Amino acid sequence: MNTYTLPNESGHFGIFGGRFVPETLMKAVIELGEAYESAKKDPSFQAEIGQLLKNYVGRETPLYFADNLTRHAGGAKIFLKREDLNHTGAHKINNAIGQALLAVRMGKKKIVAETGAGQHGVATATVCALLNLDCIVFMGEEDIKRQALNVFRMELLGAKVVSVTSGSATLKDAVNEALRYWVENVDDTHYLLGSVMGPHPFPQMVRDFQSVIGKETKLQFQLSVGTLPDALVACIGGGSNAMGMFHPFIEDESVSLYGVEAAGQGVDTEYHAASLTKGSPGVLHGALMYLLQDHNGQIQEAHSISAGLDYPGVGPEHSYLHDIGRAAYHSITDKEALDAFQLLSKLEGIIPALESAHAIAFAVKLAAEMDESKNIVVCLSGRGDKDVDTVKSRLREER
Amino acid sequence: MNRFEQAFSTLKENKNKAFVPYIMAGDGGLDCLVDRLILLEKYGATAIEVGVPFSDPVADGPTIQRAGIRALENGTTLQGIIAEIGKARQEVSVPILLMTYMNPIYSYGINEFVKDIRQAGVDGCIIPDLPIEEEAIITPQLEEAEIELIRLVTLTTPMERIKTISSKGKGFLYTVTIKGITGARNEYDSELNQFLMAVKEVSPIPVLAGFGISSQDQIIDLTKYCDGVIVGSKIVDLFNSQNLLELEKLMSVFKSKSEIL
């Protein structure tokens, strides 16, 4: 593969990406792009991020060889990149710190964000508390019910959580409301988008802030095993932990990249969130990307037991990697994710987020098909404390 | 002379201002679209903006969001809307503009869409999530079909960019008068008048103000500084509450007393 430099200057990954936003936001989006380009090249900005990631977030996170899980799967070795051990319990803080520092640099005092599972909302509220920024978080009413603990955490951290009742009252609708809020308050507010989606420069910027995951993994693997891993596995909602893990490996053709979408009750039912497996390209939330939509171009509701994967689109760069065949995208059902949630808890003493449990479930299947000499790294994107209630009531229903 | 040029040259001759009402297609049922278009022309519309319902209308406030949901619940599709406009064309002579987010067009197929709206007699498109940076996705087809892309400028658009945007268009320039989404407002930014005058200064095409306009007083005030107004949420409300008397009264704002009598 030639040197990978996407997106191009206009923010496109092939046909995907771009800046499909109302004119009111164009000035802000262009300014953000310029501010990010200048910050990226500024060693003091990078040093500031590095300092906070180390001393506040607790990076680097371990790359852990899951011996018991490996023996259970009976094939390739499975390593876990422990993003669940970050401060606030997930990878989301990597991006929140980068963008909040950028907002400060741009002189913005207010932050608006959307959240699905609440992990991005908590990360954003945390960083806003640290940097003394006003914080408002839009969250779907359904998700507020599912993730009550995270709502309380955000409020403790000083954020205002606004319940979104429009549409399916989940992540998609929270993004709509956050965008509307941004349109109305664009002068003094930064939209701290939580995934590799939205208008350029967000997909690139969020990827860059998250690519600390892949960069560390590459170094750690080199040090402990001496080679490159054979496969990387990560779950995909919008796709930020996966993009952060994949990006530093895109030009390493020997490394297979696997994204795992939520199949909900099954990809052949109406209740799933498998945008790449079952969707088609379209325009939503500022970018051209794969979407779940009906044949009239109306966006469909996504369904997953995991609030963080419950989104009917997938970031433009994943859409591109899918089309060129550089990454492969599979899906895991609610049931399989629940099983993996319990499996990892029992075998390794690690309770994964339901989102990450999708990646674990797929990795176990993948490992079984691969030779013992091969190595898989799974991005364990978050910890599962927030999901314990959901899992408890689901398991009770099943009995 | 196309219908746009016709409409605006007539206005200019009569020293009048443009009144462009917006309606949500399919709100109240798609079968009343033709009647509503005829009615709006009768009440004096300069051109009519027909909204296409979309599941995720990020530029719209609650009134138009709800109208869109009602329309979608009625089973309204872009295909159906284009067919109804085709029927209305025999009886309606003012320009008809289609206002739609990008995804319904993308899903329809851009070439097919342009071909079909041309055949139906649509004169222009307004695509609120298509800034000039992305418009090449559809402008070659629109230009070939001689359909105008009506571009938007807003209070946040820098003056140099307003120059660039206004020089691309032929129909009119849609000037968003608030920092926000659609819906009635009582107050405007104090700098709005100056902004409209500045836009008028640089724009080679007529400048129409839209977003948040709901009363005759606002309209009279705003049109001191521009060539006309686009009224959306208020019209949607009036149709939804079937208050046609109020609608006729609102739309008579530019008519002399003798015309009304």
Side-chain angles (χ1 to χ4, degrees), chain A residues 10 12 15 17-27 30 166 172-173 175-177 179-180 183-187 281-285 288 291 293-299, chain B residues 53-61 65 69 72 76-79 102-104 106-107 128-134 137 152-154 156-158 161 165 176 178-181 185:
Chain A
S10 57
H12 291 89
I15 65 161
R19 283 171 287 200
F20 292 87
V21 289
E23 175 64 23
T24 309
L25 292 179
M26 276 310 295
K27 180 168 172 256
I30 290 170
S166 60
K172 159 182 93 89
D173 310 284
V175 177
N176 288 342
E177 284 308 323
L179 278 169
R180 289 186 185 116
V183 167
E184 294 193 321
N185 298 276
V186 64
D187 288 340
V283 177
L284 181 69
H285 296 153
L288 184 54
L291 298 173
Q293 54 184 326
D294 68 16
H295 54 269
N296 293 306
Q298 305 296 341
I299 309 305
Chain B
F54 180 48
S55 53
D56 294 81
V58 292
D60 287 306
Q65 283 180 43
I69 291 168
L72 290 174
T76 307
T77 64
L78 182 51
Q79 213 159 10
M102 194 58 213
N103 200 53
Y106 197 84
S107 159
D129 57 349
L130 190 73
I132 53 171
E133 282 77 4
E134 304 294 339
I137 196 170
L152 295 97
V153 298
T154 75
T156 58
T157 311
R161 187 172 164 89
I165 294 175
V176 177
I178 47 172
K179 278 179 199 149
I181 52 181
R185 300 288 198 288

Coordinates of all heavy atoms in Angstrom, one line a residue, chain A residues 10 12 15 17-27 30 166 172-173 175-177 179-180 183-187 281-285 288 291 293-299, chain B residues 53-61 65 69 72 76-79 102-104 106-107 128-134 137 152-154 156-158 161 165 176 178-181 185:
Chain A
S10 N -10.0 18.4 1.8 CA -11.4 18.7 1.9 C -12.1 17.7 2.9 O -13.3 17.8 3.1 CB -12.1 18.8 0.6 OG -11.9 17.5 -0.1
H12 N -12.1 14.3 2.8 CA -12.7 13.1 2.2 C -11.8 11.9 2.2 O -10.6 12.0 2.1 CB -13.1 13.4 0.7 CG -14.2 14.4 0.6 ND1 -14.0 15.7 0.5 CD2 -15.6 14.2 0.5 CE1 -15.2 16.4 0.4 NE2 -16.1 15.5 0.4
I15 N -15.0 8.6 -1.5 CA -16.2 9.3 -1.6 C -16.7 9.7 -0.2 O -17.7 10.6 -0.1 CB -17.3 8.6 -2.3 CG1 -17.8 7.3 -1.5 CG2 -16.9 8.2 -3.7 CD1 -19.1 6.8 -2.0
G17 N -17.0 11.0 4.0 CA -16.6 12.1 4.8 C -17.1 13.4 4.3 O -18.3 13.5 3.9
G18 N -16.3 14.5 4.3 CA -16.8 15.8 3.8 C -17.3 16.6 5.0 O -17.1 16.3 6.1
R19 N -18.0 17.7 4.6 CA -18.6 18.6 5.6 C -20.0 19.0 5.2 O -20.3 20.0 4.7 CB -17.7 19.9 5.6 CG -16.4 19.8 6.3 CD -15.5 21.0 6.1 NE -15.0 21.1 4.8 CZ -13.9 21.8 4.4 NH1 -13.3 22.5 5.3 NH2 -13.5 21.8 3.2
F20 N -20.9 18.1 5.4 CA -22.3 18.3 5.0 C -23.0 18.9 6.2 O -23.8 18.2 6.9 CB -23.0 17.0 4.6 CG -22.4 16.4 3.3 CD1 -21.3 15.6 3.3 CD2 -23.0 16.7 2.1 CE1 -20.8 15.1 2.1 CE2 -22.5 16.2 0.9 CZ -21.4 15.4 0.9
V21 N -22.8 20.2 6.5 CA -23.4 20.8 7.6 C -24.1 22.1 7.1 O -23.7 22.7 6.1 CB -22.4 21.2 8.7 CG1 -21.9 19.9 9.4 CG2 -21.2 22.0 8.2
P22 N -25.0 22.6 7.9 CA -25.6 23.9 7.6 C -24.6 25.0 7.5 O -23.6 25.0 8.3 CB -26.6 24.2 8.8 CG -26.9 22.8 9.3 CD -25.7 22.0 9.1
E23 N -24.8 26.0 6.7 CA -23.9 27.1 6.5 C -23.5 27.8 7.8 O -22.4 28.2 8.0 CB -24.5 28.1 5.5 CG -23.7 29.4 5.2 CD -22.3 29.1 4.6 OE1 -22.1 28.1 4.0 OE2 -21.4 30.0 4.8
T24 N -24.5 27.9 8.7 CA -24.2 28.5 10.0 C -22.9 27.9 10.7 O -22.2 28.6 11.4 CB -25.4 28.4 11.0 OG1 -26.5 28.8 10.3 CG2 -25.2 29.2 12.2
L25 N -22.7 26.6 10.5 CA -21.6 25.9 11.1 C -20.3 26.0 10.3 O -19.2 25.6 10.8 CB -21.9 24.5 11.4 CG -23.0 24.2 12.5 CD1 -23.3 22.8 12.6 CD2 -22.6 24.9 13.8
M26 N -20.4 26.4 9.0 CA -19.2 26.3 8.2 C -18.0 27.1 8.7 O -16.9 26.6 8.7 CB -19.5 26.7 6.7 CG -20.1 25.5 5.9 SD -19.2 24.0 6.0 CE -17.6 24.4 5.2
K27 N -18.3 28.3 9.2 CA -17.2 29.1 9.7 C -16.5 28.4 10.9 O -15.3 28.3 10.9 CB -17.7 30.5 10.2 CG -16.6 31.4 10.7 CD -17.2 32.8 10.9 CE -16.2 33.7 11.6 NZ -16.6 34.0 13.0
I30 N -14.5 25.3 9.6 CA -13.3 25.7 9.0 C -12.3 26.2 10.0 O -11.1 25.8 10.0 CB -13.6 26.8 7.9 CG1 -14.4 26.2 6.7 CG2 -12.3 27.4 7.4 CD1 -14.9 27.2 5.7
S166 N -36.7 13.2 21.1 CA -37.1 13.1 19.7 C -36.6 11.8 19.1 O -35.7 11.2 19.6 CB -36.5 14.3 18.9 OG -35.1 14.4 19.0
K172 N -28.3 8.8 18.1 CA -28.5 9.5 16.8 C -29.2 10.8 17.1 O -28.9 11.9 16.6 CB -29.3 8.6 15.9 CG -30.0 9.4 14.8 CD -30.9 8.4 13.9 CE -32.3 8.3 14.4 NZ -33.2 9.3 13.8
D173 N -30.2 10.8 18.0 CA -31.0 11.9 18.3 C -30.3 12.9 19.2 O -30.5 14.1 19.1 CB -32.4 11.5 18.9 CG -33.0 10.4 18.0 OD1 -33.5 10.7 17.0 OD2 -32.8 9.2 18.4
V175 N -27.1 13.4 18.9 CA -26.2 14.1 18.0 C -27.0 15.2 17.3 O -26.5 16.3 17.2 CB -25.6 13.2 16.9 CG1 -24.8 13.9 16.0 CG2 -24.7 12.1 17.6
N176 N -28.2 14.9 16.9 CA -29.1 16.0 16.2 C -29.2 17.2 17.2 O -29.0 18.3 16.7 CB -30.5 15.4 15.9 CG -30.5 14.5 14.8 OD1 -29.6 14.4 14.0 ND2 -31.6 13.7 14.7
E177 N -29.6 16.9 18.4 CA -29.8 18.0 19.4 C -28.5 18.7 19.7 O -28.5 20.0 19.8 CB -30.4 17.5 20.7 CG -31.9 17.2 20.5 CD -32.8 18.3 19.9 OE1 -32.5 19.5 20.2 OE2 -33.7 18.0 19.2
L179 N -26.0 19.1 17.6 CA -25.7 19.9 16.4 C -26.6 21.2 16.4 O -26.1 22.3 16.1 CB -26.0 19.1 15.2 CG -24.8 18.2 14.7 CD1 -25.3 17.2 13.6 CD2 -23.6 19.0 14.2
R180 N -27.9 21.0 16.8 CA -28.8 22.2 16.8 C -28.3 23.2 17.9 O -28.3 24.4 17.6 CB -30.2 21.7 17.1 CG -30.9 21.0 16.0 CD -32.4 20.7 16.3 NE -32.9 19.9 15.2 CZ -33.3 18.6 15.3 NH1 -33.4 18.0 16.5 NH2 -33.8 17.9 14.3
V183 N -25.4 25.0 16.5 CA -25.8 26.0 15.5 C -26.2 27.3 16.3 O -25.9 28.4 15.8 CB -27.0 25.5 14.7 CG1 -27.7 26.6 13.9 CG2 -26.5 24.4 13.7
E184 N -26.9 27.2 17.4 CA -27.4 28.3 18.1 C -26.4 29.0 19.0 O -26.5 30.2 19.3 CB -28.6 27.9 19.0 CG -29.8 27.5 18.1 CD -31.1 27.4 18.9 OE1 -31.1 26.9 20.0 OE2 -32.2 27.7 18.3
N185 N -25.3 28.3 19.3 CA -24.3 28.8 20.3 C -22.9 28.8 19.7 O -22.0 28.6 20.5 CB -24.4 28.1 21.6 CG -25.8 28.2 22.3 OD1 -26.0 29.2 23.0 ND2 -26.7 27.2 22.0
V186 N -22.8 28.9 18.4 CA -21.5 28.6 17.8 C -20.4 29.5 18.2 O -19.2 29.2 18.2 CB -21.7 28.4 16.3 CG1 -22.2 29.7 15.6 CG2 -20.5 27.8 15.6
D187 N -20.8 30.8 18.5 CA -19.7 31.8 18.8 C -18.8 31.4 20.0 O -17.6 31.6 19.9 CB -20.4 33.1 19.1 CG -21.0 33.8 17.9 OD1 -20.5 33.3 16.7 OD2 -21.8 34.6 18.0
P281 N -24.4 3.7 1.7 CA -23.9 5.0 1.9 C -24.9 6.1 1.8 O -25.9 5.9 1.1 CB -22.9 5.2 0.7 CG -22.5 3.8 0.3 CD -23.8 3.0 0.5
G282 N -24.7 7.1 2.6 CA -25.7 8.2 2.7 C -25.1 9.4 3.5 O -24.0 9.2 4.0
V283 N -25.8 10.4 3.7 CA -25.3 11.6 4.4 C -26.1 11.8 5.7 O -27.3 11.9 5.7 CB -25.5 12.9 3.5 CG1 -25.1 14.1 4.3 CG2 -24.7 12.7 2.2
L284 N -25.4 11.8 6.8 CA -26.0 12.1 8.1 C -24.9 12.7 9.0 O -23.7 12.4 9.0 CB -26.5 10.8 8.8 CG -27.1 10.9 10.1 CD1 -28.5 11.6 10.0 CD2 -27.3 9.6 10.8
H285 N -25.4 13.7 9.8 CA -24.5 14.3 10.8 C -23.2 14.8 10.2 O -22.2 14.7 10.8 CB -24.2 13.3 12.0 CG -25.5 12.9 12.7 ND1 -25.6 11.7 13.4 CD2 -26.7 13.6 12.9 CE1 -26.8 11.7 14.0 NE2 -27.5 12.8 13.7
L288 N -20.6 11.9 4.6 CA -21.1 10.7 3.8 C -20.5 9.5 4.4 O -19.3 9.4 4.6 CB -20.6 11.0 2.4 CG -21.1 10.0 1.3 CD1 -22.6 9.8 1.2 CD2 -20.6 10.5 -0.1
L291 N -24.9 4.0 6.3 CA -26.0 4.2 7.2 C -27.0 3.1 7.2 O -27.2 2.5 6.1 CB -26.7 5.5 6.8 CG -26.0 6.8 6.8 CD1 -26.9 7.9 6.1 CD2 -25.6 7.2 8.2
Q293 N -30.7 2.8 6.6 CA -31.7 3.7 6.1 C -32.7 2.9 5.3 O -32.4 1.8 4.8 CB -31.1 4.8 5.2 CG -30.2 4.3 4.1 CD -29.5 5.4 3.3 OE1 -30.1 6.4 3.1 NE2 -28.3 5.1 2.8
D294 N -33.9 3.4 5.2 CA -34.9 2.7 4.3 C -34.7 3.1 2.9 O -33.8 3.9 2.6 CB -36.4 3.0 4.8 CG -36.8 4.4 4.6 OD1 -36.2 5.2 3.9 OD2 -37.8 4.8 5.3
H295 N -35.5 2.6 2.0 CA -35.3 2.9 0.5 C -35.7 4.3 0.1 O -35.5 4.7 -1.0 CB -35.8 1.8 -0.4 CG -37.3 1.6 -0.2 ND1 -37.8 0.6 0.7 CD2 -38.4 2.2 -0.7 CE1 -39.1 0.7 0.8 NE2 -39.5 1.6 -0.1
N296 N -36.2 5.1 1.1 CA -36.5 6.5 0.8 C -35.5 7.4 1.4 O -35.7 8.6 1.5 CB -37.9 6.9 1.3 CG -39.0 6.1 0.5 OD1 -39.0 6.2 -0.7 ND2 -39.9 5.4 1.2
G297 N -34.4 6.8 2.0 CA -33.4 7.7 2.6 C -33.7 8.2 3.9 O -33.1 9.2 4.4
Q298 N -34.7 7.6 4.6 CA -35.0 8.0 6.0 C -34.1 7.1 6.9 O -34.0 5.9 6.7 CB -36.5 7.8 6.3 CG -37.4 8.5 5.4 CD -37.3 10.0 5.4 OE1 -36.7 10.6 6.4 NE2 -37.7 10.7 4.4
I299 N -33.5 7.7 7.9 CA -32.6 7.0 8.8 C -33.4 6.1 9.7 O -34.4 6.5 10.2 CB -31.7 7.9 9.6 CG1 -31.1 9.0 8.7 CG2 -30.7 7.2 10.4 CD1 -30.2 8.5 7.6
Chain B
P53 N -39.9 15.8 3.9 CA -39.7 15.4 5.3 C -38.4 14.5 5.4 O -38.2 13.7 4.5 CB -40.9 14.6 5.7 CG -41.5 14.2 4.4 CD -41.1 15.3 3.4
F54 N -37.7 14.7 6.5 CA -36.5 13.8 6.7 C -36.5 13.5 8.2 O -36.8 14.2 9.1 CB -35.2 14.6 6.3 CG -33.9 13.9 6.5 CD1 -33.8 12.6 6.0 CD2 -32.8 14.4 7.1 CE1 -32.6 11.8 6.2 CE2 -31.7 13.8 7.3 CZ -31.5 12.4 6.9
S55 N -36.0 12.2 8.4 CA -36.0 11.7 9.8 C -35.1 12.5 10.8 O -35.3 12.5 11.9 CB -35.5 10.3 9.8 OG -34.3 10.1 9.1
D56 N -34.0 13.2 10.2 CA -33.0 13.8 11.1 C -32.7 15.3 10.6 O -31.6 15.5 10.1 CB -31.8 13.0 11.1 CG -32.0 11.7 11.8 OD1 -32.5 10.7 11.1 OD2 -31.7 11.6 13.0
P57 N -33.7 16.1 10.7 CA -33.6 17.5 10.2 C -32.8 18.4 11.1 O -33.4 19.2 11.9 CB -35.0 17.9 10.0 CG -35.8 17.2 11.1 CD -35.0 15.9 11.4
V58 N -31.5 18.4 11.0 CA -30.7 19.2 12.0 C -30.8 20.7 11.9 O -30.4 21.4 12.9 CB -29.2 18.8 12.0 CG1 -29.0 17.3 12.5 CG2 -28.6 19.0 10.6
A59 N -31.3 21.2 10.8 CA -31.4 22.7 10.7 C -32.7 23.2 11.1 O -33.0 24.4 11.1 CB -31.0 23.1 9.3
D60 N -33.6 22.3 11.5 CA -35.0 22.7 11.8 C -35.4 22.6 13.3 O -34.9 21.7 14.0 CB -36.0 21.8 11.0 CG -36.0 22.2 9.5 OD1 -36.2 23.4 9.2 OD2 -35.7 21.3 8.7
G61 N -36.2 23.6 13.7 CA -36.7 23.6 15.0 C -37.9 22.8 15.2 O -38.3 22.1 14.3
Q65 N -39.9 20.1 12.6 CA -39.6 18.7 13.0 C -40.9 17.9 13.1 O -41.0 16.8 12.6 CB -38.9 18.6 14.3 CG -37.4 19.0 14.3 CD -36.8 18.9 15.7 OE1 -37.1 17.9 16.4 NE2 -36.0 19.8 16.1
I69 N -42.4 14.8 11.0 CA -42.8 13.5 11.6 C -44.3 13.2 11.1 O -44.5 12.0 10.7 CB -42.7 13.5 13.1 CG1 -41.3 13.6 13.5 CG2 -43.4 12.3 13.7 CD1 -41.1 14.0 15.0
L72 N -44.1 12.0 7.5 CA -43.5 10.6 7.4 C -44.5 9.6 7.9 O -44.6 8.5 7.3 CB -42.2 10.5 8.1 CG -41.0 11.3 7.5 CD1 -39.8 11.2 8.5 CD2 -40.6 10.8 6.2
T76 N -45.3 9.7 3.4 CA -44.8 10.6 2.4 C -43.4 10.2 1.9 O -42.5 10.0 2.7 CB -44.8 12.1 2.9 OG1 -46.0 12.4 3.4 CG2 -44.4 13.0 1.8
T77 N -43.2 10.2 0.6 CA -41.9 9.9 0.1 C -41.5 11.0 -0.9 O -42.4 11.7 -1.5 CB -41.9 8.5 -0.7 OG1 -42.8 8.6 -1.8 CG2 -42.3 7.4 0.2
L78 N -40.2 11.1 -1.2 CA -39.8 12.1 -2.2 C -40.4 11.8 -3.5 O -40.8 12.7 -4.3 CB -38.2 12.0 -2.2 CG -37.5 13.0 -3.2 CD1 -38.0 14.4 -2.9 CD2 -36.0 12.9 -3.0
Q79 N -40.5 10.5 -3.9 CA -41.1 10.1 -5.2 C -42.5 10.6 -5.3 O -42.9 11.2 -6.3 CB -41.1 8.6 -5.2 CG -40.9 8.1 -6.6 CD -40.4 6.6 -6.5 OE1 -40.4 6.0 -5.5 NE2 -40.0 6.1 -7.7
M102 N -29.8 16.4 2.2 CA -29.0 15.7 1.2 C -29.4 14.2 1.1 O -29.4 13.6 0.0 CB -27.5 15.8 1.4 CG -26.7 15.5 0.2 SD -27.0 16.4 -1.3 CE -26.7 15.1 -2.5
N103 N -29.6 13.5 2.2 CA -29.7 12.1 2.2 C -30.9 11.5 1.3 O -30.7 10.6 0.6 CB -29.7 11.4 3.6 CG -29.4 10.0 3.5 OD1 -28.3 9.6 2.9 ND2 -30.2 9.1 4.0
P104 N -32.1 12.1 1.4 CA -33.2 11.6 0.5 C -32.8 11.7 -1.0 O -33.1 10.8 -1.8 CB -34.4 12.5 0.8 CG -34.1 13.0 2.3 CD -32.6 13.1 2.4
Y106 N -29.6 11.6 -2.1 CA -28.5 10.6 -2.4 C -29.1 9.2 -2.5 O -28.7 8.4 -3.4 CB -27.6 10.7 -1.2 CG -26.2 10.0 -1.5 CD1 -25.2 10.7 -2.1 CD2 -26.0 8.7 -1.2 CE1 -24.0 10.1 -2.5 CE2 -24.8 8.0 -1.4 CZ -23.8 8.8 -2.1 OH -22.6 8.1 -2.4
S107 N -30.1 9.0 -1.7 CA -30.8 7.7 -1.7 C -31.6 7.5 -3.0 O -31.6 6.4 -3.5 CB -31.7 7.5 -0.4 OG -32.6 6.6 -0.6
P128 N -30.2 22.3 2.8 CA -29.6 23.0 4.0 C -28.3 22.4 4.5 O -27.5 23.1 5.1 CB -30.7 23.0 5.0 CG -31.6 21.9 4.6 CD -31.5 21.8 3.1
D129 N -28.0 21.1 4.2 CA -26.8 20.5 4.7 C -25.8 20.3 3.5 O -24.9 19.5 3.6 CB -27.0 19.2 5.5 CG -27.8 18.2 4.7 OD1 -28.3 18.5 3.6 OD2 -27.8 17.0 5.1
L130 N -25.9 21.2 2.5 CA -24.9 21.1 1.4 C -24.2 22.5 1.2 O -24.7 23.3 0.4 CB -25.7 20.7 0.1 CG -24.7 20.4 -1.1 CD1 -24.1 19.0 -0.9 CD2 -25.5 20.4 -2.4
P131 N -23.1 22.7 2.0 CA -22.4 24.0 1.8 C -21.6 23.9 0.4 O -21.6 22.9 -0.2 CB -21.4 24.0 2.9 CG -21.2 22.5 3.3 CD -22.5 21.8 3.0
I132 N -21.1 25.1 0.0 CA -20.5 25.2 -1.3 C -19.3 24.2 -1.5 O -19.1 23.7 -2.6 CB -20.0 26.6 -1.7 CG1 -19.1 27.2 -0.6 CG2 -21.2 27.5 -1.9 CD1 -18.5 28.5 -1.0
E133 N -18.7 23.8 -0.4 CA -17.6 22.9 -0.4 C -18.0 21.5 -0.9 O -17.2 20.8 -1.5 CB -16.9 22.7 1.0 CG -16.0 23.8 1.4 CD -16.8 25.1 1.9 OE1 -18.0 25.1 1.9 OE2 -16.1 26.1 2.1
E134 N -19.2 21.1 -0.7 CA -19.7 19.8 -1.1 C -20.6 19.8 -2.3 O -21.1 18.8 -2.8 CB -20.4 19.1 0.0 CG -19.6 19.0 1.3 CD -18.4 18.1 1.2 OE1 -18.4 17.2 0.3 OE2 -17.5 18.3 2.0
I137 N -21.2 17.7 -5.8 CA -21.8 16.3 -5.8 C -23.1 16.4 -6.7 O -23.6 15.4 -7.2 CB -22.1 15.9 -4.4 CG1 -22.4 14.4 -4.3 CG2 -23.3 16.6 -3.7 CD1 -22.5 13.8 -2.9
L152 N -27.4 29.3 0.8 CA -27.7 30.0 2.0 C -26.5 30.8 2.5 O -25.3 30.3 2.3 CB -28.2 29.1 3.1 CG -29.5 28.4 2.9 CD1 -29.3 27.0 2.3 CD2 -30.3 28.3 4.2
V153 N -26.7 32.0 3.1 CA -25.6 32.6 3.8 C -26.3 32.9 5.2 O -27.5 33.0 5.3 CB -25.1 33.9 3.2 CG1 -24.5 33.6 1.8 CG2 -26.2 35.0 3.1
T154 N -25.4 33.0 6.2 CA -25.9 33.2 7.6 C -25.1 34.3 8.3 O -24.1 34.8 7.7 CB -25.8 32.0 8.4 OG1 -24.4 31.8 8.8 CG2 -26.2 30.7 7.6
T156 N -23.2 34.0 10.5 CA -21.8 33.6 10.8 C -20.9 33.5 9.5 O -19.7 33.2 9.6 CB -21.7 32.3 11.5 OG1 -22.3 31.3 10.6 CG2 -22.4 32.3 12.8
T157 N -21.5 33.8 8.4 CA -20.7 33.7 7.1 C -19.9 34.9 6.9 O -20.4 36.0 6.9 CB -21.6 33.5 5.9 OG1 -22.6 32.5 6.2 CG2 -20.9 33.1 4.7
P158 N -18.5 34.8 6.8 CA -17.7 36.0 6.6 C -18.0 36.7 5.3 O -18.5 36.0 4.3 CB -16.3 35.4 6.6 CG -16.4 34.1 7.2 CD -17.8 33.6 6.9
R161 N -16.8 35.3 2.0 CA -17.5 34.0 1.6 C -18.9 34.3 1.1 O -19.4 33.7 0.2 CB -17.6 33.1 2.9 CG -18.1 31.7 2.7 CD -18.0 30.9 3.9 NE -18.8 29.7 3.8 CZ -18.4 28.6 3.3 NH1 -17.2 28.4 2.9 NH2 -19.3 27.5 3.3
I165 N -20.3 33.0 -2.4 CA -21.6 32.2 -2.5 C -22.6 32.9 -3.4 O -23.2 32.3 -4.2 CB -22.1 32.0 -1.0 CG1 -21.2 31.1 -0.2 CG2 -23.5 31.4 -1.1 CD1 -21.6 30.9 1.2
V176 N -30.1 33.7 6.1 CA -30.6 33.2 7.4 C -30.4 34.3 8.4 O -29.3 34.8 8.6 CB -29.9 31.9 7.8 CG1 -30.4 31.4 9.2 CG2 -30.1 30.8 6.8
I178 N -31.0 34.4 11.7 CA -30.7 34.2 13.1 C -29.6 33.2 13.2 O -29.3 32.4 12.2 CB -32.0 33.5 13.8 CG1 -32.5 32.4 12.9 CG2 -33.0 34.5 14.1 CD1 -33.6 31.6 13.6
K179 N -28.9 33.2 14.3 CA -27.9 32.1 14.6 C -28.7 31.0 15.2 O -28.9 30.9 16.4 CB -26.9 32.6 15.5 CG -25.8 33.4 14.9 CD -24.8 33.9 15.8 CE -24.0 35.1 15.2 NZ -23.5 36.0 16.2
G180 N -29.3 30.2 14.4 CA -30.0 29.1 15.0 C -30.8 28.3 13.9 O -30.5 28.4 12.8
I181 N -31.7 27.5 14.4 CA -32.5 26.7 13.6 C -33.8 27.3 13.2 O -34.1 28.4 13.8 CB -32.7 25.3 14.3 CG1 -33.3 25.5 15.7 CG2 -31.4 24.6 14.4 CD1 -33.5 24.3 16.5
R185 N -39.4 33.5 16.1 CA -38.6 34.2 17.1 C -39.3 35.6 17.3 O -39.8 36.2 16.4 CB -37.2 34.5 16.6 CG -36.4 33.3 16.3 CD -36.0 32.5 17.6 NE -34.9 31.6 17.3 CZ -34.9 30.5 16.6 NH1 -36.1 30.1 16.1 NH2 -33.9 29.7 16.4

